[in-house]
Amino acid sequence: MANDPLLQPFQLKHLSLKNRLMMTAHEPAYPEDGMPKELYRAYHVERAKAGLGLTMTAGSAAVAKDSPPVFNNILAYKDEVVPWMRELTDACHEHGTAVMIQLTHLGRRTRWDKGDWLPAVSPSHRREASHRAFPKQVEDWDIERLIKDYADAAERMHAAGLDGIELQAYGHLMDQFWSPLTNTLEGPYGGDLDNRLRFTFEVLRAIRQRVGEAFIVGVRYTGDEMLPGGLTASDGMDISRRLKDSGLVDFLNVVRGHIDTDPGLTDVIPIQGMPSAPHLDFAGEIRREVDFPTFHGAKIQDVATARYAIASGKVDMIGMTRAHMADPHIVRKIMEGREEEIRPCVGANYCLDRIYQGGAAYCIHNAATGRETTMPHTIPKAAQKRRVVIIGAGPAGLEAARVAGERGHAVVVLEAASDAGGQVRLTAQSERRREMMGIIDWRLARCEALGVEIRYNVWAEVEDVFAEKPDAVIVATGGYPLEDRPEVGHDLVVNTWDILSGHVPPGKQVLLFDDAGDHAAMQAAEIIAATGAQLEIMTPDRTFSAEIMAMNLVPYMRSLQRPNVTFTPTYRLKSVQRDDSELLAKITSDYLDLDHERRIDQVVVNYGITPMADIYFELKPHSRNGGEVNYEDLIVGRPQTVIRHAGDGFQLFRIGDAVASRNTHAAIYDALRLVKDL
Ligand SMILES: Cc1cc2nc3c(=O)[nH]c(=O)nc-3n(C[C@H](O)[C@H](O)[C@H](O)COP(=O)(O)O)c2cc1C
Ligand code: SF4
């Protein structure tokens, strides 16, 4: 361990970083009233306690009012931020973790109908595809004001005792000045590269005047926009040198690409199924040429890749950001030689996609992340050992088993299939989503280490459960595809699970009717489209894939935007009949009483999931609580004590899709918050 490249300190000017692992800036949208309060602090402290070297807090903390908090950012333009940041910083410093913050002005990457309803501002009127606001073109008085705003915000962070700041310059105001694509100004702030960089250096000089030499200042920037007419790699190298030569910055944090569209953002921050560490070599080239402290992070999910990044000298500090959302204790586990216990980031990008929908960043399979004030990352042992029977080894059942195992209970899992995983296993049939199995495999490994017994090929009956003499029974049997529309003619249609599992081969002319808007439909569509079949994806919603968020949709579109695939939103499948060798599908809509037709050879339907919970209802009368959950106790984290039937019956609970169709995160959260108090 002592020689582990990742655990070597790094000297950044006067600041000694105790190891090479950092979380790069990421706004998890946890602020309350724009301030990093208790939860925000707890989130960072959990990672600091486990030994993280550097945490770059916030992400896009706003330096000005006309950079409104489009994803619940920290409002660094308010003086009241200082005490909150001081508390957070002091608490992380106690554990030896350095604390910085990313400051920015979003420029056009925001909306005018947020915050104070000020117009977005940018060096051109061109709007950004993702956020859609047409910005005002920046004027001289804006520039003066904004330089001061940056300096004021930096001074606040200095006053709060942080170790440093970084300025964001990829897709935000700063590099909107740099890029010819977003800067249509004439001199002195538009035109040649000198002019386009003028704003940045004026900001940096103003910041230095306020915070002095001893405060760390860096820039996180794109070194190559990878867009026709945009900043090239050679521009990026030029900018990197100028940043170093200015003597105003202490580190470079290199990004590659552009984030103005969902596909662009997804290439900068790759998700599951995309290559690992795609920009590491690029960052390494800048590090080698410029010879200056360099940070980088982009889909470095595993310790081996992070170690390589440092050992090879490509970069000085390596970001494992989503990896630390999935497992806050990575550094401790490395130090203790327990790397194989690290909960893997499976690249599901539930975390990041949620913030663009106005939600807080939650990890698909660590329900304690972002809930540090109420959910434990380390499960305490129970005072009393109990016998727990869990029915179903999908994500909910396995999380329940893991947590019950950590509590020290004797745990038996009864699974009807020959393998664990439930719907996650089905999802992972697609090569591109294979990483999802990390959710299951990690839990299986933990369950094994904790002595949880899993019995496969057991269709649990009431007698099987009684035979275990349980104190508590948790039904996590999941669900199956909903087929409750008799008018559709279910004997003539197949469902998305039939296609995903490979039980039914795709037809040649296929209508896929997607009423749920979830991954199952798009995954089935990918399989069908890949055969060359003519595929029409129809949904009654006003947009297709309503439940698949921005970055997750990108790989689907990349495989489905082909000549044999069409999308038809706002239409509804009414019925299906056989007509000789063909199927005749009748189509209507929720808007008009239509009577359209399609002649095809296969109809694939996706109505979502309905609970499969017979065993729960059979067990209910034998249980002490009649299956009842006291929601008040569940929410505040007290043990369940409901008694509906006196006697010595067991407690009975139902979690995950066996209750109602939701998603993997909800299933895992159901399990964690119930079983942590069992
Ligand atoms: C929830 C979330 C919010 C993010 N917000 C920002 C941000 O405000 N500024 C920024 O530079 N990067 C942001 N990022 C990107 C991360 O800093 C990082 O570049 C990205 O997650 C790729 O690194 P990783 O694969 O180690 O997670 C965000 C990432 C996440 C997951
Ligand atoms: S949601 Fe997915 S990408 Fe985000 S931290 Fe969790 S596992 Fe990683």
Side-chain angles (χ1 to χ4, degrees), residues 238-438:
D238 198 357
I239 292 170
S240 308
R241 285 201 193 91
R242 289 176 192 226
L243 287 170
K244 174 189 174 183
D245 294 344
S246 73
L248 295 166
V249 304
D250 303 307
F251 69 87
L252 307 176
N253 188 349
V254 176
V255 163
R256 182 167 63 160
H258 60 100
I259 61 170
D260 54 328
T261 60
D262 292 343
L265 179 64
T266 311
D267 288 335
V268 170
I269 305 178
I271 66 169
Q272 60 187 203
M274 297 172 77
S276 162
H279 310 309
L280 177 61
D281 289 343
F282 177 77
E285 276 166 42
I286 291 187
R287 165 83 185 77
R288 200 183 55 239
E289 288 286 315
V290 181
D291 189 20
F292 201 56
T294 301
F295 303 174
H296 173 69
K299 204 174 188 242
I300 286 138
Q301 285 159 296
D302 60 293
V303 172
T305 309
R307 190 171 282 132
Y308 163 75
I310 298 297
S312 60
K314 286 187 189 295
V315 294
D316 299 293
M317 292 293 293
I318 192 72
M320 290 186 77
T321 304
R322 286 171 294 177
H324 270 90
M325 298 189 81
D327 190 332
H329 302 151
I330 291 177
V331 180
R332 181 186 303 149
K333 287 176 183 172
I334 297 174
M335 291 194 297
E336 293 175 358
R338 296 191 291 128
E339 264 172 60
E340 76 289 348
E341 286 181 33
I342 293 172
R343 186 186 317 219
C345 170
V346 299
N349 221 48
Y350 187 63
C351 50
L352 191 53
D353 266 341
R354 270 182 58 89
I355 68 166
Y356 287 108
Q357 296 216 326
Y362 293 134
C363 172
I364 194 167
H365 78 126
N366 186 345
T369 286
R371 298 192 181 96
E372 277 76 6
T373 50
T374 50
M375 293 293 131
H377 282 285
T378 306
I379 310 289
K381 281 258 181 292
Q384 204 187 348
K385 182 168 177 161
R386 307 179 75 196
R387 196 155 171 81
V388 181
V389 171
I390 294 163
I391 308 174
L398 286 182
E399 175 71 348
R402 175 189 81 86
V403 178
E406 300 271 11
R407 301 276 291 146
H409 298 316
V411 187
V412 176
V413 182
L414 307 177
E415 166 58 45
S418 54
D419 290 306
Q423 288 177 59
V424 170
R425 181 170 290 276
L426 194 64
T427 292
Q429 298 292 311
S430 297
E431 181 57 24
R432 200 173 54 66
R433 304 201 76 209
R434 203 161 37 91
E435 286 173 60
M436 292 293 276
M437 275 310 284

Side-chain angles (χ1 to χ4, degrees), residues 389-400 413-415 422 473-479 612-613 615-616 653-659 667 671:
V389 171
I390 294 163
I391 308 174
L398 286 182
E399 175 71 348
V413 182
L414 307 177
E415 166 58 45
V473 177
I474 299 173
V475 175
T477 39
M612 179 165 59
I615 184 72
Y616 167 81
F653 303 106
R654 187 162 59 129
I655 57 174
D657 276 8
V659 181

Side-chain angles (χ1 to χ4, degrees), residues 152 185 215 225 339 365 430 437 480 625:
D152 288 346
L185 293 168
F215 193 59
E225 277 193 292
E339 264 172 60
H365 78 126
S430 297
M437 275 310 284
Y480 56 88
N625 60 330

